[in-house]
Amino acid sequence: MSHTIQEKAKLLARVRRIKGQVEAIERALENELGCDPIMHMLAGVRGSIAGMMAEVIEDHVRDHIMMPGLDDAGRREAAEHLIDVVRSYLK
């Protein structure tokens, strides 16, 4: 079973919190709040997303790369997939 399925409730809760943060930014823009509070909210969302990405990456490494009994080809494939995702995330 995939780690994202095992951690589904926890990940969905994090996504919902992020959604709430983004909606707060939308409300702030609609209410013409100043740039300082909006930048703080944006930084908060960025931190939340980065934290969630770090958690999913950690679980991926533990479940797909360090998995006992996985052959070298499987580890290589999982590592290459992770490298691709990290590269696209850091662009």
Side-chain angles (χ1 to χ4, degrees):
M1 178 182 298
S2 172
H3 56 93
T4 54
I5 294 170
Q6 293 171 354
E7 301 293 330
K8 179 180 175 179
K10 186 169 70 170
L11 292 172
L12 284 173
R14 286 184 84 146
V15 167
R16 289 181 183 120
R17 282 193 300 275
I18 293 167
K19 179 181 173 184
Q21 289 175 297
V22 172
E23 288 170 347
I25 294 169
E26 181 180 16
R27 287 189 302 276
L29 291 168
E30 286 173 348
N31 294 325
E32 299 178 1
L33 231 56
C35 57
D36 287 346
I38 291 172
M39 286 189 290
H40 283 285
M41 289 186 268
L42 288 167
V45 170
R46 183 175 185 205
S48 296
I49 290 173
M52 184 173 178
M53 177 62 100
E55 182 177 338
V56 173
I57 287 172
E58 180 181 341
D59 289 345
H60 177 81
V61 168
R62 292 185 193 285
D63 290 353
H64 297 290
I65 297 174
M66 296 172 47
M67 176 189 272
L70 188 64
D71 62 6
D72 286 342
R75 287 183 207 285
R76 255 191 314 277
E77 182 180 341
E80 289 298 328
H81 178 67
L82 178 59
I83 290 166
D84 291 343
V85 170
V86 169
R87 280 193 179 143
S88 68
Y89 179 72
L90 295 176
K91 282 187 179 182

